[in-house]
C-alpha cells in the first residue's frame, strides 16, 4: 500500500490536539518522528510545554459537564459513529502506525487497527451498561442503591510500542464512563494518537472530550500527572517510570492505574503438543519484534521435550523474514529505534559469557543496515537468576530453560518480579487448571499465547502494576461509586438516636 497522505502536511498545524483542533507546542524544543526501518525523518514538530498541558486540561475540564451529563445512549451513539469513522480510515491508520513504529503492515492491518475498531465498538455498547448494585432495603428502614459517576478529567500516558491501541485503551473506557481526557502519547510515535482524536471529532464527539499533548515525560508528562485539575492518572510503560508516576500521583492524592513491565513465562509440560508449542513460542516471542509486555520471553520446557523444542524453535526462527514493513512478505520489522536495538543487543552480548546463543544474536547488514533491525534470537543454558532471564529485554529474544517436575516449572514461572501474562502448554486438564490457579499473572493462556479480546480485562500482578484496561472491569478505574440511602420510615426520632442523646 502506498502513502495515502503526507505526514508533514497532515499535521502541519502541530502535534497538539486541544479543544478539537491541532496546534503547535510551546516548549521551544522540536522533535523528529523517525521511520525506524530507514532512519529517515518523516515528521518534525514542536513538543508540548507545561502551558500546552494547562490548555488541554482546561479544555477537558470545560467539556466535562456536558459530556458527563449526556445520557448513556447519547455517548454510546457518538462512540458507535467513532468506530465507523475509524473503520473508514483503516488504511490510513495502518500506514501511519507502520511508518512511525516499523511494524509490518500486515500486523498493523490485521491486529492493531481492527483491534482498535473493535475496542471502540465494545465501549460504545458498554457505555449503556454502567450499573450499580440493585436497590434494596438492607436494614429494613432504608432503601440503598449505588450510582456510578464519572470522576472528571483523566490524565493518561501511553507508550510507543502500540501507539494506536494504547491510545484507545486509555481513551475509550474513560469517555464511555462520561469523563474527559488528556492523553500524552510517546513523543516518538504521536501520529495515530492524533488521528484517533481527529476521528473522534469527525464522529461528533464534542471538542475537549479527547485532547492530545505530545511532549517529553519530564516536562509535559510530569506536569500532567501532577496537575491539580486531573483527578486520575493511567500510565502504561516501564516499571521504573511507573514508580515515578506513582510518586507524583500519590503526592496529589490521585486515583492511579499502572500497567507496567512484563517477563511472561511460556511453560511447556511434557504432554504438550510440541508443534503447537514451537509455533506458539515463535509467534508469542516475536510479535511486534518482541516489543510487547505480554510477549513470551522465558520458555520453561519439561526435560523430555526440551531438546526437540530448542531445535524446533531455532529452525522456525531462522525462516522469519526481516524486511521493509510495507512489503507484504515481511514477517519482522525493526525495533523502534537504533538505541533500542543496541539495548537489546547488549543483553544478548552479555549473555554470551554464561549462556549459548542458539540462533540470531545479531543485526542484519545489507539492505537493512540503516534500519533498527535485529534477528530473532534464541538463548539457552542461562541460569534462572541471570540478567537475561530476569530483566525485561523488549526485543525479539526468547530464553529457554529446562525443568523436571511440575512443581519446579510453576515455581520458575513465578520467579520474577513481574506478573502480567503467562501461558501453559499441556493436554492435561488438571495440569492446565493448576497452572491457571498458581501462576501469578493477570492473564494465563492455555495452549496459546498473545490473543486479547475487548470483553476481557488486561492488567498485572506484582511489579507489572494494578488496575485493568479493556472490558467492563476497566470502569472500576474510571468511575466513582456512590452509595445513596433513603429513609423509608418518615419517623423524626430514630431509635438509634438514643446512642447519641436521651433515652429510649
Amino acid at each position: 500500500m502506498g502513502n495515502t497522505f503526507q505526514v508533514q502536511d497532515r499535521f502541519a498545524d502541530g502535534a497538539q490536539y486541544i479543544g478539537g483542533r491541532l496546534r503547535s507546542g510551546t516548549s521551544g524544543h522540536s522533535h523528529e518522528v523517525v521511520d525506524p526501518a530507514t532512519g529517515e525523518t518523516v515528521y518534525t514538530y514542536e513538543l508540548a510545554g507545561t502551558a500546552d498541558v494547562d490548555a488541554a486540561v482546561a479544555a477537558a475540564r470545560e467539556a466535562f459537564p456536558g459530556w458527563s451529563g449526556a445520557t448513556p445512549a447519547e455517548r454510546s451513539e457518538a462512540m458507535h459513529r467513532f468506530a465507523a469513522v475509524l473503520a473508514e480510515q483503516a488504511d490510513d491508520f495502518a500506514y501511519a502506525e507502520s511508518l512511525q513504529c516499523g511494524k509490518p503492515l500486515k500486523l498493523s492491518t490485521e491486529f492493531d487497527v481492527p483491534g482498535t475498531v473493535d475496542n471502540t465498538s465494545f465501549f460504545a455498547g458498554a457505555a449503556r451498561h454502567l450499573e450499580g448494585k440493585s436497590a434494596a432495603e438492607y436494614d429494613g428502614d432504608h432503601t440503598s442503591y449505588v450510582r456510578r459517576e464519572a470522576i472528571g478529567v483523566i490524565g493518561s500516558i501511553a507508550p510507543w510500542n502500540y501507539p494506536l491501541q494504547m491510545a484507545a485503551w486509555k481513551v475509550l473506557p474513560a469517555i464511555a464512563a462520561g469523563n474527559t481526557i488528556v492523553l500524552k502519547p510517546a513523543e516518538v510515535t504521536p501520529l495515530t494518537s492524533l488521528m484517533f482524536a481527529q476521528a473522534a471529532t469527525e464522529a461528533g464527539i464534542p471538542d475537549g472530550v479527547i485532547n492530545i499533548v505530545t511532549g517529553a515525560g519530564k516536562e509535559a508528562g510530569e506536569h500532567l500527572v501532577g496537575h491539580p485539575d486531573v483527578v486520575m492518572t493511567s500510565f502504561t510503560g516501564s516499571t521504573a517510570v511507573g514508580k515515578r508516576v506513582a510518586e507524583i500521583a500519590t503526592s496529589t492524592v490521585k486515583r492511579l492505574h499502572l500497567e507496567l513491565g512484563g517477563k511472561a513465562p511460556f511453560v511447556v509440560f511434557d504432554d504438550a503438543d510440541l508443534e503447537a508449542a514451537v509455533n506458539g513460542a515463535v509467534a508469542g516471542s516475536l510479535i511486534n519484534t518482541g516489543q510487547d509486555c505480554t510477549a513470551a520471553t522465558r520458555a520453561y520446557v519439561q526435560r523430555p521435550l526440551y531438546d526437540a523444542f530448542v531445535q524446533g524453535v531455532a529452525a522456525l526462527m531462522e525462516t522469519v523474514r526481516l524486511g521493509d514493513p510495507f512489503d507484504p512478505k515481511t514477517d519482522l520489522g525493526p525495533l523502534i529505534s537504533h538505541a533500542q536495538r543496541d539495548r537489546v543487543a547488549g543483553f544478548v552480548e552479555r549473555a554470551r559469557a554464561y549462556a549459548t546463543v542458539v540462533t540470531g544474536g545479531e543485526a542484519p547488514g545489507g539492505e537493512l543496515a540503516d534500519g533498527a533491525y535485529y534477528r530473532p534470537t534464541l538463548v539457552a543454558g542461562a541460569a534462572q537468576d541471570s540478567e537475561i532471564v530476569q530483566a525485561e529485554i523488549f526485543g525479539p529474544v526468547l530464553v529457554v530453560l529446562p525443568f523436571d517436575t511440575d512443581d519446579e516449572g510453576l515455581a520458575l514461572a513465578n520467579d520474577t518480579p513481574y506478573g502480567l501474562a503467562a501461558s501453559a502448554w499441556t493436554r492435561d486438564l488438571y495440569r492446565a487448571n493448576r497452572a491457571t490457579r498458581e501462576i501469578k499473572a493477570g492473564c494465563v493462556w492455555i495452549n496459546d499465547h498473545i490473543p486479547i479480546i475487548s470483553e476481557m480485562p488486561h492488567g498485572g500482578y506484582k511489579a507489572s502494576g494494578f488496575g485493568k484496561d479493556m472490558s467492563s472491569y476497566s470502569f472500576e478505574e474510571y468511575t466513582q461509586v456512590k452509595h445513596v440511602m433513603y429513609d423509608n420510615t418518615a419517623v423524626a426520632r430514630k431509635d438509634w438516636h438514643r446512642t447519641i442523646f436521651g433515652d429510649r
Side-chain angles (χ1 to χ4, degrees), residues 46-375:
E46 295 297 314
L47 290 165
T50 56
D52 303 303
V53 173
D54 291 342
V57 172
R61 187 177 181 186
E62 183 179 354
F64 177 72
W67 183 248
S68 62
T71 67
E74 289 168 338
R75 290 198 295 269
S76 177
E77 288 170 6
M79 293 182 70
H80 276 301
R81 293 194 300 270
F82 188 12
V85 172
L86 294 172
E88 290 169 2
Q89 299 177 8
D91 287 349
D92 281 357
F93 274 99
Y95 173 82
E97 194 76 337
S98 288
L99 183 67
Q100 66 180 354
C101 298
K103 62 182 68 186
L105 187 62
K106 65 179 181 180
L107 182 65
S108 296
T109 301
E110 299 179 28
F111 184 74
D112 298 70
V113 174
T116 300
V117 174
D118 184 73
N119 260 246
T120 309
S121 295
F122 170 80
F123 278 106
R128 302 184 75 154
H129 296 281
L130 280 165
E131 298 175 347
K133 201 168 187 178
S134 299
E137 290 70 47
Y138 293 98
D139 69 352
D141 290 337
H142 302 81
T143 297
S144 288
Y145 69 89
V146 168
R147 291 176 54 89
R148 282 196 180 274
E149 297 179 350
I151 56 177
V153 177
I154 311 300
S156 292
I157 300 176
W160 48 257
N161 57 335
Y162 290 102
L164 177 60
Q165 290 205 79
M166 295 299 98
W169 286 18
K170 300 304 181 195
V171 168
L172 296 172
I175 69 170
N179 302 288
T180 56
I181 187 167
V182 179
L183 172 72
K184 192 197 88 65
E187 56 267 40
V188 295
T189 54
L191 304 181
T192 48
S193 297
L194 294 167
M195 293 168 63
F196 189 70
Q198 288 178 313
T201 299
E202 291 179 42
I205 291 176
D207 294 348
V209 172
I210 301 172
N211 305 275
I212 309 293
V213 290
T214 309
K218 283 289 185 182
E219 184 172 3
E222 293 196 1
H223 190 63
L224 177 62
V225 174
H227 200 289
D229 291 332
V230 169
V231 298
M232 183 264 187
T233 291
S234 178
F235 170 81
T236 296
S238 71
T239 298
V241 178
K243 291 178 180 178
R244 175 60 180 158
V245 170
E247 289 174 2
I248 299 170
T250 54
S251 70
T252 53
V253 198
K254 283 181 173 55
R255 188 180 295 202
L256 185 61
H257 165 220
L258 298 175
E259 198 266 88
L260 306 176
K263 190 72 177 176
F266 187 101
V267 183
V268 183
F269 293 99
D270 57 14
D271 67 328
D273 180 329
L274 179 62
E275 182 182 7
V278 166
N279 281 278
V282 173
S285 62
L286 300 185
I287 185 171
N288 205 36
T289 318
Q291 298 167 128
D292 186 313
C293 48
T294 63
T297 59
R298 300 178 289 136
Y300 297 103
V301 184
Q302 208 151 23
R303 208 168 292 274
L305 294 185
Y306 178 79
D307 290 340
F309 180 87
V310 171
Q311 293 169 8
V313 168
L316 187 54
M317 278 186 169
E318 289 166 5
T319 71
V320 172
R321 299 164 297 184
L322 282 69
D324 177 0
F326 295 100
D327 184 337
K329 294 182 180 179
T330 293
D331 297 319
L332 196 74
L335 291 148
I336 190 65
S337 66
H338 287 82
Q340 179 66 11
R341 192 269 311 276
D342 294 345
R343 178 181 179 275
V344 170
F347 279 101
V348 177
E349 290 308 306
R350 291 189 295 275
R352 293 183 191 276
Y354 55 80
T356 300
V357 177
V358 180
T359 190
E362 63 180 3
E367 295 179 354
L368 303 181
D370 291 336
Y373 290 90
Y374 197 75
R375 294 196 185 282

